Amino acid sequence: MENRASIKFKFVLPVILVVLILSFLSFNDISNEFSSENMKASNAPVFLNATYIGEDDVYKNNPLEADEFYNPILQGCYPDPAITRKGDDYYMVCSSFAMFPGVPIFHSKDLVNWTDLGGVLDDVSEFNPHDTGISGGVYAPGITYNPNNDTFYMIVTAFSGGLGNIIVKTKDPKKGWGSPKKLDFGGIDPSIFFDDDGKAYVVHNDAPDKGKELYNGHRVIKIWEYDLEKDQVIEGTDKIIVDGGVDITEKPIWIEAPHLYKKDGSYYLMCAEGGTGGWHSEVIFKSDNPKGPFVPAPSNPILTQRYFGQERKNKVDWAGHADIIEGPDNKYYGVFLAVRPNEEDRVNTGRETFILPVDWSGEFPVFENGLVPIEPTLKLPKEVENKTVEEGFFPNGNFTIKEDFTGNKLDNRWIGLRGPREAFITQGTEGLKIRPFDVNIKQTKPTSTLFHRQQHNSFTFSTTLSYRPETQKDLAGIVAFQNEGSNYVFGITKKDEDFHLVLQKNIWPKRQGDIISEVIVSSKIKLDENIKLEISAQGDQYEFKYAIGDRELKRLGNKVSGDILSTDVAGGFTGCLLGLYATSANDITPE
């Protein structure tokens, strides 16, 4: 006679198997773009290494003194910073758009030396920007520590999967975050504030009430009371606390990115104003109640670069979208986005994260030297040492990064687009293998491309790979990518029985309609050894080189303009990404 345990096992086992099968099928439904049907693993390139070298003149011409560090603190496309503090631990988040994981997060003990913790939204079953343009996805996060319940909150707008505004929580940002909770309000750029009495509030950008829009760019700031038990805004508590901006008679545009603070019993509301371009600025308001009325400071803006000559040296521009925190030396600091255009005034590195001391000795805070041209160096806070050149810290200034892909750990700076990098990469003793998706770089789908941000106006990015394409549909190499309709592809494919190296330019006229693809140059090559591919730039001029085996590097074609890799030409909100790319949906025909 069978005992109860064996009978139960015989009954439960089939049920478990059915549940596992259904779960597997469900996961495939959620992220079928990562399934084996979209990969061609049998012909995967192996990337042996990668090197990134940044060589900007601004750092060569401004060597650091012993008590200095460089600004920006996060070079490359890390815009819309928000910051919080628990004790002597600082956490900062930025926008990521359709890059994956979503919302990069950094940790520091001193506001100078930062470590990259990866991304807050790292579960593709919960945040899946698989079908959006690169400037969609998720952006303008807020992060706040609530001392009343010892919990961190990250709140953000997600333009994918019908999410809208969401919030996630954790007790320890180094150990991951909970699942996103959808919030019941519209608009963008939310942040959350916790008052001394335990109450919570959410502020965000929104459209004016229906029928009350006065001009293009007219926006408002709203506030909601927030239920900490339900993790939801409280219905009916919303109120407009800023209409238009500092002075609506001047028709200010794009009041956004609000943050609430409390100091000496008063409430301060800080916002960006002027749009995230040449008229960008930061403004401040004050009230004796978190729901207003708020009165603007008489000295607004408190941060901007819009009043200075366009030919100024070491130009920094577009400053705004800021957040303020008390630093380790009991002094206030503000993080914000700004850009460093190249010699053609183009923005290829994207909007970066800067920091400045903030003088809050008076009634209103003011960014120190934020109303004069921003300099490339800053004084270190008291008793802080610059460790950005050391292993483990996010690099700063000019630097070289050499990657040996034969290990089993990949730095967090390497990211996917519209999906996780783990869906297509495998690391081993031979190097990093990319299993090609049946997706082209021009499609708004997850691509099998491992990306690294361009962090300098003058740089070199190179890799050595082992690859033998089997058909013309196969291609592997490197890309310089601003968006799906603005990029260069530099790679190896096949035509008939011959291997070819190709350079293709993809452009999106007026950012709409069909993408126009042009093969700039191609060359038949003998692929009897590994091949080295290199992209380099000196400001606006980009060039593409290659070498078979140990031979000397040769340039393929002439130098090309990096205009299509700039935010001001290509549009959107991102900077240039440099990627290791493989596809089984190649459409480039060698000449």
Side-chain angles (χ1 to χ4, degrees):
M1 180 181 294
E2 293 180 300
N3 61 32
R4 287 187 179 183
S6 63
I7 293 172
K8 184 177 179 181
F9 180 78
K10 288 176 69 175
F11 173 76
V12 170
L13 182 59
V15 174
I16 293 173
L17 289 174
V18 169
V19 170
L20 288 173
I21 291 168
L22 289 175
S23 298
F24 178 76
L25 292 174
S26 175
F27 179 78
N28 277 351
D29 287 340
I30 292 172
S31 55
N32 61 5
E33 60 272 16
F34 308 128
S35 70
S36 59
E37 294 177 5
N38 290 325
M39 301 179 188
K40 189 177 179 183
S42 63
N43 191 35
V46 176
F47 292 84
L48 308 180
N49 53 50
T51 301
Y52 177 91
I53 303 171
E55 300 178 293
D56 282 349
D57 286 342
V58 62
Y59 300 120
K60 296 176 183 178
N61 298 335
N62 294 274
L64 290 176
E65 300 292 337
D67 61 346
E68 291 181 331
F69 68 107
Y70 284 124
N71 218 5
I73 50 174
L74 299 183
Q75 296 166 223
C77 181
Y78 292 101
D80 307 331
I83 193 167
T84 196
R85 174 183 184 180
K86 177 187 177 182
D88 61 354
D89 289 297
Y90 296 86
Y91 295 93
M92 183 165 61
V93 291
C94 303
S95 291
S96 55
F97 309 99
M99 303 172 217
F100 199 95
V103 188
I105 181 167
F106 299 85
H107 170 259
S108 179
K109 290 285 189 180
D110 50 33
L111 300 178
V112 174
N113 305 295
W114 293 90
T115 55
D116 187 343
L117 301 182
V120 174
L121 303 175
D122 58 1
D123 186 339
V124 75
S125 69
E126 296 179 334
F127 168 64
N128 190 356
H130 62 101
D131 59 355
T132 184
I134 191 173
S135 286
V138 61
Y139 59 78
I143 187 170
T144 313
Y145 172 68
N146 183 3
N148 303 311
N149 62 3
D150 188 29
T151 302
F152 291 85
Y153 292 73
M154 194 285 293
I155 186 170
V156 72
T157 308
F159 287 91
S160 59
L163 288 174
N165 291 302
I166 57 174
I167 197 163
V168 294
K169 301 188 299 184
T170 186
K171 293 289 186 180
D172 186 351
K174 295 178 182 177
K175 296 181 179 179
W177 295 74
S179 296
K181 174 71 180 291
K182 183 175 171 60
L183 300 173
D184 294 336
F185 65 88
I188 60 171
D189 293 14
S191 67
I192 190 165
F193 166 74
F194 304 102
D195 209 342
D196 302 334
D197 59 6
K199 290 185 177 180
Y201 303 87
V202 168
V203 288
H204 66 95
N205 159 300
D206 210 341
D209 290 341
K210 190 173 182 180
K212 293 186 177 181
E213 183 176 354
L214 301 178
Y215 52 87
N216 185 32
H218 178 198
R219 302 290 287 181
V220 302
I221 301 299
K222 280 186 178 179
I223 190 168
W224 299 75
E225 295 178 27
Y226 188 82
D227 188 326
L228 287 164
E229 294 298 322
K230 297 179 179 178
D231 276 318
Q232 189 58 261
V233 292
I234 300 173
E235 185 178 358
T237 63
D238 57 311
K239 179 183 178 182
I240 294 174
I241 53 176
V242 173
D243 186 5
V246 169
D247 183 355
I248 197 167
T249 65
E250 298 290 330
K251 297 184 178 180
I253 59 172
W254 292 104
I255 191 78
E256 58 190 355
H259 291 279
L260 264 177
Y261 311 98
K262 190 174 186 180
K263 184 175 183 289
D264 301 330
S266 296
Y267 297 87
Y268 294 84
L269 177 69
M270 190 173 74
C271 308
E273 187 184 278
T276 186
W279 202 246
H280 207 196
S281 70
E282 200 69 16
V283 296
I284 193 87
F285 305 79
K286 183 181 179 183
S287 176
D288 59 5
N289 189 297
K291 301 191 80 171
F294 280 90
V295 177
S299 56
N300 278 318
I302 60 173
L303 166 71
T304 191
Q305 294 289 286
R306 68 191 181 200
Y307 299 121
F308 312 120
Q310 295 302 300
E311 302 303 319
R312 62 189 183 274
K313 188 178 180 182
N314 301 328
K315 181 179 175 181
V316 174
D317 214 350
W318 301 10
H321 200 121
D323 198 4
I324 290 177
I325 200 73
E326 190 173 358
D329 51 3
N330 299 316
K331 183 179 178 67
Y332 286 93
Y333 290 83
V335 293
F336 58 96
L337 73 80
V339 298
R340 297 176 298 150
N342 64 25
E343 79 284 358
E344 296 293 336
D345 211 31
R346 292 175 179 143
V347 181
N348 292 46
T349 51
R351 298 171 303 154
E352 305 172 293
T353 289
F354 288 70
I355 192 169
L356 281 176
V358 171
D359 183 351
W360 208 336
S361 58
E363 182 180 8
F364 292 97
V366 177
F367 285 73
E368 294 183 16
N369 297 318
L371 297 172
V372 298
I374 292 173
E375 296 292 334
T377 61
L378 280 175
K379 293 294 183 183
L380 291 164
K382 289 181 181 178
E383 300 181 4
V384 172
E385 180 184 352
N386 187 349
K387 299 179 181 178
T388 57
V389 297
E390 296 181 14
E391 184 72 24
F393 291 102
F394 196 86
N396 193 230
N398 280 339
F399 52 81
T400 296
I401 298 170
K402 293 185 177 181
E403 299 281 355
D404 179 357
F405 290 133
T406 59
N408 56 11
K409 182 172 174 54
L410 193 59
D411 195 278
N412 288 326
R413 63 178 162 265
W414 292 99
I415 54 172
L417 177 61
R418 308 186 190 96
R421 65 191 192 183
E422 289 77 13
F424 57 85
I425 65 169
T426 303
Q427 280 184 271
T429 55
E430 60 179 350
L432 184 138
K433 181 182 290 186
I434 294 185
R435 296 166 291 171
F437 289 163
D438 188 19
V439 175
N440 192 282
I441 198 75
K442 296 177 286 186
Q443 295 177 263
T444 50
K445 294 181 179 181
T447 68
S448 39
T449 317
L450 189 64
F451 282 110
H452 185 291
R453 291 165 174 86
Q454 179 181 332
Q455 298 176 288
H456 299 78
N457 282 314
S458 296
F459 73 90
T460 300
F461 177 71
S462 62
T463 186
T464 301
L465 70 156
S466 173
Y467 182 57
R468 300 293 185 276
E470 294 177 355
T471 73
Q472 194 170 318
K473 287 291 186 181
D474 300 326
L475 181 140
I478 51 181
V479 295
F481 182 94
Q482 208 282 342
N483 64 45
E484 50 276 4
S486 302
N487 56 75
Y488 289 103
V489 177
F490 182 43
I492 309 152
T493 187
K494 194 173 185 181
K495 183 179 179 182
D496 300 325
E497 297 302 314
D498 297 316
F499 298 117
H500 291 258
L501 190 60
V502 294
L503 176 61
Q504 183 183 60
K505 177 181 181 181
N506 297 310
I507 57 173
W508 209 349
K510 299 182 180 179
R511 305 168 197 166
Q512 58 187 358
D514 294 332
I515 296 170
I516 298 174
S517 299
E518 173 194 359
V519 177
I520 296 175
V521 62
S522 66
S523 176
K524 187 189 301 183
I525 58 173
K526 288 186 176 181
L527 206 55
D528 50 355
E529 296 181 73
N530 294 337
I531 185 168
K532 181 177 181 179
L533 301 178
E534 178 182 286
I535 301 176
S536 63
Q538 292 292 323
D540 183 63
Q541 296 296 304
Y542 285 63
E543 57 184 351
F544 300 81
K545 297 179 180 179
Y546 72 98
I548 306 295
D550 295 327
R551 299 178 181 89
E552 269 190 42
L553 282 165
K554 294 172 58 177
R555 190 169 73 193
L556 186 70
N558 298 319
K559 293 182 180 181
V560 299
S561 173
D563 55 354
I564 65 168
L565 305 176
S566 65
T567 307
D568 46 316
V569 172
F573 302 112
T574 63
C576 178
L577 303 178
L578 307 167
L580 309 178
Y581 172 52
T583 181
S584 59
N586 174 52
D587 64 355
I588 302 174
T589 302
E591 294 178 341

